[in-house]
């Protein structure tokens, strides 16, 4: 059914979706007419509308007034622009908090978060949920048959500002969640190791959220709270979705996931959320001042594609130029917006949308760039917006094409992410996203495509599986990984993996107990390094490493590199173990980027993994998307500052410029080509 809904959406839009968040309620009506004209000029096909519309359509409780959006949706329909219509529940109007202060969210330290910003609701609040669902019913009844309606946009960036609430209402809901998970309180006591520090509970009624405590709150309690908070927000999403399904069963639903690299990026278990959506949507805000911005963006995009097993996804928000919420907000230099948009398409995006259409005159985001800047249409940004709209429209066959499955999978798991970043660890400042990036970047730089998968995925089709810091793992996932290697796969696993079970309890039997046999070793002691310290690696692999080391005892593995300096000098640092028909590499430290690159090159050699295209010039990247009819589109992206010539394995033509086929293509600085065999 989801497939049919999406097929209809693709047919309706007919090309890569193009547009942005449209907030006409901030402007007088005559501006809307101008918006429609400019949208047509820019090739806009879809806009997200009404995201912060609640106070407009329900200015007083139960007094609905849809005049503004009635007119706006008609303007869009006349301009042939589809609506990704919001359920309008992302930010409650001030009257809700005035009448029901108990709907406001509370931080772990008891601070209440007041209205005046946005997203000021407690996800567990039945009052918020009731009002939200009633609003969605009104919106769905009003616009369910509107000709501009193409896609439902439920909420907005769930968990972006309030990933978890710690109020009494949330506490009661947490207890219900725990009752459902554990059945009886002794099972919870066991899972949470409450024999420690006199924490034994006599009843579920005594359990609280992990509020600010004199010292480290119980880690298993913190982990369950992260799971609970993700589930609570998902319940909010589902309550709205149920209304929409009843009223408009044919219209697909989505919600936009928050940027992966900013702190809230880890707050939702996206593998649990994604099956509830018809299509995954993502908001991506790479920092133009960050030299690694494109790599980080690519990792986010590959993750979005992995959430529904390789399906295309929608880039629902990005900045046309600068954002306003970093300490220093660099604009995107000329050409970067187009290049980064095409990068998203190369990694599987079926829509390229922005925040926002017209730059706000007032409010907290007036310095955030927009497709139509304060300066109007005679601006660099609008000219680039128009050009991008034209170029995206030139390759309509890409819509619905599927990015080619990669040979390399990188394992990601949200419970592990939450558990890995808990306090009271051997080395606390580490962030899983940085570890992921350290494993992903060398592959990206080598021109190798990667899929992001959960640890329980079918790994058999992959030549190489990379497992960064799978600190938390259950027996089933561990067995899945071991079976993959036994069957002939190549694995690269990094340190501090296989340490705890799903309740953050140590797997006894010598670290990393679930992987000892697979890796052919035992870790006797963790040996984090002082800040600023590094260790030298020697052997088949030489280089430097920092942050972490381990006292490794071999049980069948061969040494690839040893520590040459520090307390563990002479001991193994990187190992290789033949297991069944496959090979398992283990990395007991954090090699620097160039050492990681050489290590991954070696693992790739073992696994016979090639780049997407051979002989690509520096900073040129390629990804392939295939249509259901078997036509392959190779998208080439020049992230470099100079023009380059790229040799092609066979003659191809560039779908963006209607030229003759050729066995080489010239790419301008920040240039893009969409190549198809003739
Ligand atoms: C997103 C949000 C948008 C806008 C944008 C600015 O987090 O969904 O409404 O605030 O950031 O970058």
């Amino acid at each position: 059914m989801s497939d049919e809904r999406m097929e209809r959406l693709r047919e309706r839009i007919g090309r890569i979706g193009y547009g942005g968040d449209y907030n006409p309620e901030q402007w007088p009506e005559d501006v809307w007419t101008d918006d429609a004209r400019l949208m047509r000029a820019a090739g806009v096909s879809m806009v997200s509308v009404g995201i912060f519309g609640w106070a407009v359509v329900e200015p007083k409780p139960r007094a609905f007034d849809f005049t503004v959006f009635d007119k706006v949706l008609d303007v869009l329909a006349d301009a042939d622009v589809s609506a990704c219509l919001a359920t309008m529940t992302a930010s409650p109007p001030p009257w809700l908090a005035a009448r029901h202060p108990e709907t406001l969210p509370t931080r772990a330290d008891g601070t209440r978060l007041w209205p005046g910003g946005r997203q000021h609701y407690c996800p567990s609040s039945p009052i918020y949920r009731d009002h939200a669902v009633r609003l969605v019913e009104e919106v769905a009844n009003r616009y369910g048959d509107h000709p501009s309606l193409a896609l439902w946009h439920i909420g907005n960036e769930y968990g972006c500002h309030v990933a978890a609430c710690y109020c009494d209402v949330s506490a009661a809901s947490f207890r219900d969640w725990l009752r459902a998970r554990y059945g009886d309180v002794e099972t919870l006591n066991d899972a949470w190791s409450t024999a420690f520090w006199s924490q034994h509970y006599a009843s579920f009624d005594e359990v609280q959220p992990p509020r600010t405590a004199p010292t480290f709150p119980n880690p298993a309690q913190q982990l369950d709270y992260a799971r609970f908070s993700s589930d609570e927000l998902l319940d909010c999403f589902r309550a709205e979705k149920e209304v929409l399904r009843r009223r408009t069963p044919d219209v697909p639903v989505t919600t936009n996931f928050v940027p992966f690299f900013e702190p809230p990026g880890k707050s939702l278990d996206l593998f649990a959320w994604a099956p509830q959506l018809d299509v995954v949507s993502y908001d991506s805000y790479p920092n133009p001042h960050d030299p690694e911005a494109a790599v980080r963006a690519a990792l986010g995009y590959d993750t979005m594609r992995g959430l529904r097993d390789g399906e295309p996804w929608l880039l629902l928000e990005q900045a046309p130029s600068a954002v306003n919420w970093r300490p220093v907000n660099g604009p995107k230099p000329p050409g970067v917006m187009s290049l980064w948009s095409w990068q998203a398409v190369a990694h599987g995006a079926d829509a390229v949308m922005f925040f926002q259409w017209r730059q706000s005159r007032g409010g907290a985001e007036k310095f955030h760039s927009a497709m139509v800047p304060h300066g109007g249409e005679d601006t660099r940004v609008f000219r680039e917006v128009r050009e991008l709209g034209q170029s995206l429209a030139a390759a309509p066959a890409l819509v619905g094409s599927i990015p080619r499955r990669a040979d390399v999978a990188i394992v990601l798991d949200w419970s592990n992410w939450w558990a890995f970043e808990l306090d009271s660890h051997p080395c606390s400042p580490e962030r899983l996203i940085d570890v992921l990036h350290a494993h992903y970047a060398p592959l990206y730089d080598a021109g190798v495509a990667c899929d992001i998968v959960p640890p329980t995925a079918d790994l058999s089709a992959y030549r190489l599986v990379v497992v960064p810091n799978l600190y938390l793992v259950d027996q089933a996932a561990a067995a899945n990984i071991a079976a993959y290697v036994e069957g002939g796969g190549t694995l690269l696993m990094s340190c501090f993996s296989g340490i705890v079970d799903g309740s953050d309890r140590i797997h006894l039997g010598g670290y990393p107990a679930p992987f000892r046999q697979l890796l052919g070793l035992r870790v006797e002691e963790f040996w984090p390094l002082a800040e600023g310290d590094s260790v030298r690696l020697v052997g088949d692999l030489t280089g430097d490493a920092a942050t972490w080391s381990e006292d490794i005892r071999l049980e069948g593995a061969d040494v690839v590199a040893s520590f040459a300096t520090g307390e563990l000098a002479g001991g193994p640092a990187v190992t290789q173990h033949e297991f069944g028909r496959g090979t398992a590499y283990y990395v007991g430290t954090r090699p620097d980027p160039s050492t990681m690159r050489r290590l991954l090159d070696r693992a790739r050699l073992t696994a016979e993994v090639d780049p997407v295209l051979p002989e690509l010039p520096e900073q040129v990247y390629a990804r392939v998307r295939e249509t259901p009819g078997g036509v392959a589109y190779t998208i080439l992206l020049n992230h470099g500052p100079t023009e380059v010539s790229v040799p092609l394995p066979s003659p191809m033509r560039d779908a963006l410029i209607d030229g003759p086929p050729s066995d080489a293509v010239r790419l301008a600085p920040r240039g893009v080509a969409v190549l198809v065999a003739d």
Side-chain angles (χ1 to χ4, degrees), residues 237-325:
F237 171 90
R238 282 155 85 163
E240 296 191 19
K241 178 181 144 184
E242 265 167 37
V243 175
L244 301 174
R245 280 287 196 260
R246 248 188 288 122
R247 178 63 184 79
T248 56
D250 297 338
V251 181
V253 302
T254 195
T255 188
N256 46 342
F257 293 143
V258 296
F260 211 55
F261 278 85
E262 313 298 331
K266 68 166 182 179
S267 62
L268 306 182
D269 179 349
L270 297 187
F271 280 119
W273 275 66
Q276 299 293 329
L277 281 57
D278 289 308
V279 59
V280 165
S281 295
Y282 183 52
D283 297 349
S284 177
Y285 288 96
N287 181 355
H289 284 171
D290 173 9
E292 293 284 293
V295 191
R296 288 190 226 282
L299 172 53
Y301 302 157
D302 287 345
T303 304
M304 293 307 119
R305 198 179 65 248
L307 294 177
R308 287 176 59 92
D309 196 25
E311 282 182 16
W313 50 278
L314 310 177
L315 178 60
L316 226 52
E317 288 183 26
Q318 60 171 337
S321 188
V323 300
N324 67 311
W325 39 262

Side-chain angles (χ1 to χ4, degrees), residues 256-428:
N256 46 342
F257 293 143
V258 296
F260 211 55
F261 278 85
E262 313 298 331
K266 68 166 182 179
S267 62
L268 306 182
D269 179 349
L270 297 187
F271 280 119
W273 275 66
Q276 299 293 329
L277 281 57
D278 289 308
V279 59
V280 165
S281 295
Y282 183 52
D283 297 349
S284 177
Y285 288 96
N287 181 355
H289 284 171
D290 173 9
E292 293 284 293
V295 191
R296 288 190 226 282
L299 172 53
Y301 302 157
D302 287 345
T303 304
M304 293 307 119
R305 198 179 65 248
L307 294 177
R308 287 176 59 92
D309 196 25
E311 282 182 16
W313 50 278
L314 310 177
L315 178 60
L316 226 52
E317 288 183 26
Q318 60 171 337
S321 188
V323 300
N324 67 311
W325 39 262
R326 293 191 175 101
V328 179
N329 299 295
K332 289 181 178 169
V336 168
M337 178 187 80
S338 159
L339 174 69
W340 288 1
S341 298
W342 275 107
Q343 183 196 26
V345 174
H347 288 257
D350 265 5
V352 170
M353 316 251 300
F354 295 90
F355 179 85
Q356 62 177 329
W357 166 252
R358 184 180 285 277
Q359 190 166 12
S360 301
R361 181 172 184 201
E365 293 183 323
K366 57 187 170 297
F367 293 116
H368 194 293
S369 60
M371 298 168 82
V372 183
H374 290 148
E377 60 191 297
D378 185 15
T379 50
R380 170 184 78 90
V381 168
F382 189 73
R383 277 189 287 278
E384 289 193 33
V385 161
R386 214 170 29 209
E387 281 163 25
L388 176 59
Q390 279 161 7
S391 83
L392 287 170
L398 280 175
V399 174
S401 66
I402 309 284
R404 185 176 279 171
R405 193 167 280 277
D407 288 334
V408 181
I410 300 188
V411 166
L412 174 62
D413 176 69
W414 261 265
S415 276
N416 174 58
W417 193 345
W418 295 324
F420 178 72
E421 292 186 9
L422 285 170
D423 40 25
S424 66
H425 275 197
C427 183
S428 288

Side-chain angles (χ1 to χ4, degrees), residues 40-127:
R40 269 196 298 262
V44 164
S45 56
M46 181 162 76
V47 291
S48 300
V49 61
I51 294 173
F52 298 103
W54 193 342
V56 175
V57 300
E58 195 180 1
K60 291 186 192 146
R62 289 169 198 265
F64 292 95
D65 176 357
F66 284 101
T67 320
V68 167
F69 289 100
D70 285 355
K71 290 184 188 170
V72 165
L73 289 183
D74 288 349
V75 169
L76 292 177
D78 290 347
D80 200 19
V81 173
S82 293
C84 170
L85 183 57
T87 53
M88 310 195 184
T89 54
S91 210
W95 56 254
L96 186 68
R99 292 178 164 230
H100 300 287
E102 68 276 28
T103 60
L104 291 170
T106 302
R107 287 202 176 124
D109 67 358
T111 308
R112 180 170 273 192
L113 302 176
W114 296 94
R118 63 175 174 184
Q119 216 178 75
H120 45 272
Y121 64 85
C122 158
S124 303
S125 164
I127 299 173

